[in-house]
């Protein structure tokens, strides 16, 4: 999660993608006139994450249903972290709203952890990238 705000946290492609997605989500909040360009960049990053992971994982023994790819989860994590941090720093937002934003971020982090464990234990379904070949 720290990689979403800090570009040089660790030398790893997923950390670099997390930083990029965090930057794009901050851009969405700061430059609403660039929504289309930023949305295309986000979609491209999600596909690149999925392709990177897909090339490095073992094929699972049994396909299981999964609602999201790694790229989609990292994108949601970046969006949730950027929003939670922004609400916290504003100071004029109701505490319950800030709490909910950080709680939502925690749920996405848990989803990422569960997905990473499923991949590690070869329980993640294929195709891994949406529309990809198994």
């Amino acid at each position: 999660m720290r990689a979403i705000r800090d570009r040089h946290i660790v030398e790893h492609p997923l950390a670099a993608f997390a930083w990029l997605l965090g930057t794009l989500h901050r851009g969405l909040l700061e430059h609403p006139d660039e929504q289309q360009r930023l949305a295309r960049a986000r979609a491209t990053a999600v596909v690149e994450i999925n392709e990177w992971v897909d090339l490095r994982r073992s094929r699972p023994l049994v396909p299981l249903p999964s609602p999201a790819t790694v790229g989609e989860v990292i994108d949601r994590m970046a969006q949730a972290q950027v929003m939670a941090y922004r609400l916290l720093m504003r100071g004029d937002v109701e505490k319950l709203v800030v709490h909910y934003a950080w709680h939502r971020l925690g749920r996405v982090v848990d989803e990422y952890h569960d997905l990473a464990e499923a991949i590690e234990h070869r329980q993640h379904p294929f195709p891994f990238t949406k529309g990809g070949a198994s």
Side-chain angles (χ1 to χ4, degrees), residues 29-87:
L29 293 173
E30 296 165 6
H31 306 287
D33 54 318
E34 295 187 36
Q35 295 266 339
Q36 284 187 320
R37 181 185 67 79
L38 295 169
R40 282 192 306 273
R42 280 181 47 227
T44 298
V46 167
V47 168
E48 289 175 359
I49 290 168
N50 294 334
E51 289 173 349
W52 185 89
V53 172
D54 199 32
L55 289 172
R56 285 156 183 81
R57 72 180 178 91
S58 301
R59 292 289 178 207
L61 298 174
V62 179
L64 302 172
S66 176
T69 66
V70 174
E72 291 167 338
V73 174
I74 292 175
D75 182 51
R76 282 201 310 271
M77 189 168 31
Q79 189 276 335
Q81 194 273 352
V82 166
M83 184 56 70
Y85 186 80
R86 175 151 305 205
L87 290 171

Side-chain angles (χ1 to χ4, degrees), residues 2-3 18 25-26 33 35 40-41 51 96 102-103 118 123 127:
R2 186 170 164 208
H25 279 286
R26 283 188 295 280
D33 54 318
Q35 295 266 339
R40 282 192 306 273
E51 289 173 349
L96 188 58
W102 285 97
H103 180 74
Q123 295 174 332

